[in-house]
Amino acid sequence: MKHTRRNITSAGLLGLTAVLVLTACGSKITPQAGGSTTTSSSAGSATPAAAGASCVDTSGDSVKIGFLNSLSGTMAISEKTVQESLMMAADEINAAGGVLGKQLEVVAEDGASEPATFAEKATKLIQSDCVAAVFGGWTSSSRKAMLPVFESNDALLYYPVQYEGLESSKNIFYTGATTNQQILPALDYLKEQGVTSLFLVGSDYVFPQTANKEIKAWAAANGMEIKGEEYVPLASGADFSTIITKVKDSGAGAVFNTLNGDANVSFFKEYRNVGLAADTMPVVSVSIAEEEVSGVGVENLVGQLTAWNYYQTLDTPANKKFVEDFKAKYGDDRVTSDPMEAAYTSMYLWKNTVEKGKSFAVADIQANAGGVSFEAPEGTVTINGDNHHIAKTALIGKVAEDGLIYTEWTSPAPIEPDPYLTTYPWAAGLS
Amino acid sequence: MDVVVSQVFTGLSIGSILLLAAIGLALTFGQMGVINMAHGEFIMAGGYTAFVVQGLFDNAGVGLLLSIPVAFLVGGLLGVVLEMTLLRRMYHRPLDTLLVTYGVSLILQQLAKNIFGTQGKSVRTPTWLQGPLELFGFDFPKTRVFVLVLAVVTVVGLSVALKTTSLGRRIRATVQNRQLAECSGISSRATDRLTFFLGSGLAGIAGVALTQLSPVNSSVGQSYIINAFLIVVVGGIGQIKGAVIAAFVLGIGQAALEKIYDASLARIIVFVAIVAFLQLRPQGIFNVRTRSLA
């Protein structure tokens, strides 16, 4: 009897270990190398072109473009909204007569929240569908997986989300913020407000770790004291009580928050539980936009700060139209956010670049991109020809009772993108 | 001193969550040697139940309290369905049950995504649970006090049920010696089903408690299942008092280590300590003394 019980237990433990290992493998991201052969064989499509030779057909009165966003999996919630605003941009452009007189024909693919799928679908869009440009991607891992595909096929990707910087490719246009357009202005703002010490809280993976490395280098040069740095494992039902105790005891002037997703809910709940408040120890978040506010809970966020380059509440004629059109198309209860706006803007930047050079060819777009600008909802944006990012105005916002974010502070002028932080002496040795 | 009090409380709080997640498992795993990988998804189901039930009421507090018995029923029924359809065919084949229940857990996760979407659902915290509670000059977050109280009430209730009711006596008899219990006229089939109902129902209650600390999403069960098994194995299979001691020792250890180091390192140290402990006592803190001669 005793004997069998022990056998059962040990077998069970063995099985558990196996499952642990399996799930660990399941969550590990292994980007597929680019240039993999496409597996889709849609009948009637053009024969796949050899890598490097473009098969884009511009002879008719329409031209194909590709959308690649996650419509399933964990990222679907966020990426669906990006696809909606891309659709809206394409419809607008078509209604206004298209690009160079050609109507846009959209081929939409699902990246399924899997970097490998992004690489595979990008290959399909480029080689089988022969699209002139691809718009999409969200997580850095999806972008890193697609990068070799676009480079080896010499195709174009327009990527609409803020990210950790330290990247630049001639085949990608980055229309979200890089570090010096989002995180550094937020730090400057805190310094201006008289904050002298920070506590860093983030999820335990690439973006927060990289961002915090940059923040610590900045702090050393700017006399800002870092009171603590805590990471929460992504895979655990994170318990924030100890971290919040540390935050409270540290007496830091502000918290810099790079947490992702649901962890924000536990964090802010716990923060309120111990009696911390936005007016005594504000939290600055870089991953919470209008779309996420309702998920985290407005009551948990009121009065807290965010750093972005666009808010739904921006008072520009272009934004008023953008928000009205979006609500008319998708529903009155919907909100617009920074990545959605950056995606919408990216398509107009592509259109303007094509029209400037009167050509859909990748080489012509690369040659003509520098200096192309667009009157975007966030304000005037201009492509930097050297690093393919765009100049953006930094906005620090405050979450209000109505779930929207209102601008508290704005940078005096659009900030030139500097993905490798080369113009900041303190950042030497980071990249 | 302040630090010690607040960290001990945090430890008790973490321990109470672990205990709620593990207590039902202690029952099902101990009773039948069934390794139920879907136990975490029963916790998830309890969490979603709280979300749905609370949605029916304007008053967050009423919804929350009412969702406790409802989640118990939902979890219990899920358990019974699993037991009657699949598990009863494979008693004493632990690896088969492991695979089958792992499959069921994946199905339940996908089902949750289809019904509730991928974004976490937040369950409202009633006003009387918001903010800190002041006791002896210390601040304790009310939600954590609530979870602690819920865990204590649940465990005491379960112990009393096992000790005093005839069902409890049948369960204990079956756990200790199935064949002898059968010989004494106890229907072990019916007992198994009831035990499974009870254990899975307790997972549902754990799910309600968790909603006060974090949102419910389809992967919430995955976060707790491993910890729950750890508690059961360290405490001694099928031993409730073992699970209680193991949960609080691990909770307080985790809290202390987190304070000294950081969250990731604390977890690693706890895991290493558990492995070392199991080397010394493979049977856990307590083990069932049987009368068998084997």
Side-chain angles (χ1 to χ4, degrees):
Chain A
M1 230 9 233
K2 202 169 188 169
H3 194 64
T4 44
R5 186 171 299 283
R6 180 163 311 174
N7 278 347
I8 288 172
T9 313
S10 55
L13 275 176
L14 187 75
L16 268 179
T17 319
V19 168
L20 261 177
V21 170
L22 281 174
T23 47
C25 291
S27 60
K28 194 168 281 168
I29 293 157
T30 42
Q32 188 182 314
S36 60
T37 49
T38 175
T39 47
S40 75
S41 54
S42 44
S45 74
T47 27
S54 163
C55 61
V56 180
D57 177 16
T58 54
S59 59
D61 52 9
S62 73
V63 64
K64 282 185 178 172
I65 53 171
F67 292 175
L68 184 41
N69 316 94
S70 297
L71 306 177
S72 58
T74 49
M75 294 306 299
I77 285 278
S78 305
E79 294 191 49
K80 232 180 137 63
T81 64
V82 166
Q83 198 206 45
E84 286 167 336
S85 80
L86 285 170
M87 284 289 183
M88 186 168 100
D91 288 353
E92 275 178 19
I93 290 170
N94 282 344
V99 179
L100 290 183
K102 295 184 197 303
Q103 290 286 296
L104 301 176
E105 195 185 322
V106 172
V107 185
E109 281 290 352
D110 177 8
S113 310
E114 288 281 339
T117 310
F118 270 96
E120 190 185 311
K121 293 288 171 76
T123 308
K124 172 190 175 286
L125 286 170
I126 298 163
Q127 294 185 357
S128 313
D129 298 317
C130 300
V131 298
V134 177
F135 299 83
W138 182 295
T139 63
S140 286
S141 40
S142 72
R143 189 191 65 255
K144 295 273 187 205
M146 288 189 284
L147 189 140
V149 176
F150 283 93
E151 289 189 344
S152 63
N153 288 290
D154 199 22
L156 288 178
L157 169 69
Y158 283 78
Y159 172 76
V161 185
Q162 51 82 226
Y163 79 114
E164 69 280 358
L166 309 180
E167 187 180 301
S168 174
S169 161
K170 67 179 176 49
N171 296 92
I172 302 183
F173 285 92
Y174 306 79
T175 60
T178 178
T179 320
N180 77 315
Q181 300 169 311
Q182 183 193 21
I183 291 177
L184 299 189
L187 293 168
D188 288 333
Y189 167 79
L190 290 172
K191 192 176 164 182
E192 245 175 64
Q193 297 293 306
V195 172
T196 55
S197 60
L198 286 178
F199 200 104
L200 313 179
V201 178
S203 305
D204 205 356
Y205 77 108
V206 186
F207 171 72
Q209 296 263 16
T210 313
N212 283 343
K213 211 161 37 183
E214 291 161 359
I215 291 170
K216 282 185 293 192
W218 176 93
N222 284 273
M224 179 80 75
E225 190 189 348
I226 303 290
K227 292 271 194 183
E229 179 179 3
E230 292 285 337
Y231 294 101
V232 183
L234 265 178
S236 72
D239 189 288
F240 278 96
S241 41
T242 303
I243 288 181
I244 288 287
T245 311
K246 285 184 182 178
V247 169
K248 193 178 178 178
D249 295 347
S250 74
V255 178
F256 206 98
N257 167 22
T258 44
L259 288 168
N260 257 46
D262 284 345
N264 278 302
V265 188
S266 320
F267 172 81
F268 281 104
K269 268 193 170 176
E270 205 61 46
Y271 170 97
R272 284 175 71 211
N273 271 342
V274 299
L276 286 171
D279 51 4
T280 50
M281 198 193 283
V283 181
V284 185
S285 307
V286 290
S287 297
I288 300 177
E290 287 85 341
E291 193 66 42
E292 286 78 29
V293 168
S294 59
V296 177
V298 180
E299 71 283 0
N300 291 321
L301 287 171
V302 169
Q304 299 292 13
L305 302 168
T306 59
W308 290 103
N309 309 85
Y310 167 87
Y311 296 118
Q312 182 179 318
T313 54
L314 278 187
D315 196 11
T316 64
N319 185 43
K320 280 212 166 65
K321 180 179 171 305
F322 175 67
V323 175
E324 270 169 28
D325 290 351
F326 190 84
K327 284 180 180 275
K329 195 171 167 71
Y330 295 109
D332 233 1
D333 56 338
R334 297 293 308 274
V335 291
T336 57
S337 69
D338 185 297
M340 293 158 76
E341 186 271 349
Y344 175 87
T345 300
S346 71
M347 191 170 303
Y348 276 98
L349 285 171
W350 170 75
K351 170 182 184 282
N352 293 355
T353 315
V354 169
E355 293 185 337
K356 179 179 167 186
K358 300 201 172 29
S359 156
F360 287 99
V362 172
D364 294 331
I365 290 176
Q366 286 165 337
N368 288 308
V372 169
S373 67
F374 170 62
E375 203 54 51
E378 67 181 82
T380 309
V381 297
T382 312
I383 298 180
N384 175 312
D386 295 331
N387 57 29
H388 282 193
H389 289 60
I390 61 178
K392 293 170 90 78
T393 305
L395 307 171
I396 307 301
K398 201 175 241 181
V399 181
E401 299 275 356
D402 59 5
L404 293 175
I405 305 174
Y406 293 84
T407 310
E408 280 287 303
W409 176 90
T410 146
S411 64
I415 301 168
E416 275 301 317
D418 181 7
Y420 290 96
L421 300 173
T422 48
T423 53
Y424 302 87
W426 52 261
L430 276 178
S431 41
Chain B
M1 188 60 218
D2 287 10
V3 174
V4 174
V5 171
S6 83
Q7 282 317 97
V8 166
F9 175 76
T10 300
L12 289 175
S13 161
I14 295 175
S16 63
I17 298 160
L18 292 175
L19 183 58
L20 274 171
I23 197 80
L25 203 62
L27 213 58
T28 52
F29 190 22
Q31 160 85 343
M32 296 168 267
V34 169
I35 298 171
N36 180 15
M37 292 303 291
H39 188 81
E41 278 58 50
F42 295 167
I43 295 176
M44 172 193 86
Y48 278 122
T49 304
F51 172 75
V52 171
V53 170
Q54 204 185 46
L56 306 174
F57 295 90
D58 284 339
N59 184 321
V62 172
L64 183 71
L65 292 177
L66 196 72
S67 65
I68 296 173
V70 180
F72 179 76
L73 282 176
V74 169
L77 288 173
L78 278 173
V80 168
V81 169
L82 177 67
E83 202 274 342
M84 287 173 70
T85 51
L86 294 169
L87 296 184
R88 68 187 178 88
R89 299 168 203 284
M90 46 187 72
Y91 281 142
H92 302 299
R93 285 156 51 196
L95 280 178
D96 296 2
T97 59
L98 176 103
L99 291 174
V100 164
T101 53
Y102 186 58
V104 169
S105 92
L106 293 178
I107 292 169
L108 288 174
Q109 282 177 53
Q110 191 54 49
L111 207 61
K113 280 182 201 163
N114 293 347
I115 300 172
F116 297 99
T118 48
Q119 194 157 13
K121 295 284 182 203
S122 281
V123 174
R124 285 171 296 152
T125 303
T127 42
W128 47 268
L129 277 180
Q130 283 172 11
L133 174 75
E134 273 202 42
L135 270 183
F136 320 115
F138 294 104
D139 282 351
F140 302 110
K142 285 180 191 165
T143 46
R144 294 190 169 265
V145 175
F146 168 76
V147 174
L148 190 59
V149 170
L150 187 62
V152 170
V153 169
T154 306
V155 173
V156 169
L158 180 65
S159 305
V160 170
L162 285 179
K163 284 206 168 65
T164 59
T165 63
S166 67
L167 166 70
R169 277 195 295 277
R170 283 208 300 274
I171 290 177
R172 279 184 300 141
T174 317
V175 169
Q176 289 198 1
N177 193 327
R178 183 173 294 268
Q179 281 109 337
L180 197 59
E182 291 256 355
C183 295
S184 329
I186 294 172
S187 159
S188 68
R189 279 288 310 120
T191 311
D192 282 346
R193 204 171 307 146
L194 274 165
T195 311
F196 224 85
F197 176 81
L198 201 58
S200 308
L202 291 170
I205 293 182
V208 176
L210 290 179
T211 60
Q212 292 309 298
L213 305 173
S214 62
V216 206
N217 59 30
S218 58
S219 61
V220 78
Q222 294 290 296
S223 319
Y224 288 96
I225 184 77
I226 300 300
N227 286 332
F229 271 106
L230 277 183
I231 300 296
V232 174
V233 172
V234 171
I237 311 289
Q239 290 293 301
I240 289 181
K241 64 180 174 205
V244 172
I245 291 172
F248 286 122
V249 167
L250 287 183
I252 288 170
Q254 172 84 21
L257 290 166
E258 258 187 55
K259 185 77 186 168
I260 301 164
Y261 306 110
D262 62 61
S264 304
L265 190 58
R267 267 186 86 72
I268 293 168
I269 296 173
V270 165
F271 269 92
V272 171
I274 288 171
V275 171
F277 173 78
L278 289 175
Q279 292 302 309
L280 298 169
R281 275 189 75 87
Q283 72 276 41
I285 299 174
F286 296 101
N287 65 321
V288 184
R289 273 190 227 73
T290 67
R291 288 162 186 249
S292 68
L293 298 170

